[in-house]
Amino acid sequence: MARIAQPIIASEEDRLELLVMSRSFKIEKRYSQRAEVILLSLEGKGLMRSLSARV
């Protein structure tokens, strides 16, 4: 049985830093992708739902 994700709380400053990381070409791709997933979670979008929308 799948677990329910705990809500993530982030300040506006944290969101801005995650946004910068998700668009950066200077950091490793995995960190950029992780930042993008966290941003999607903050918006209340599930990972599977957001991935299916991109395909």
Side-chain angles (χ1 to χ4, degrees):
M1 191 159 160
R3 291 185 282 173
I4 298 173
Q6 297 294 320
I8 300 173
I9 300 171
S11 67
E12 199 60 37
E13 183 179 316
D14 293 335
R15 288 176 189 257
L16 182 60
E17 186 173 346
L18 286 167
L19 185 62
V20 168
M21 286 177 65
S22 69
R23 294 180 178 175
S24 177
F25 292 108
K26 293 185 177 187
I27 64 172
E28 290 184 39
K29 185 68 175 174
R30 63 182 170 157
Y31 295 128
S32 175
Q33 290 171 335
R34 187 173 295 162
E36 190 172 351
V37 168
I38 294 170
L39 283 170
L40 290 171
S41 296
L42 287 170
E43 293 174 7
K45 298 179 181 174
L47 181 59
M48 295 308 291
R49 191 179 315 151
S50 62
L51 289 176
S52 63
R54 289 183 174 197
V55 174

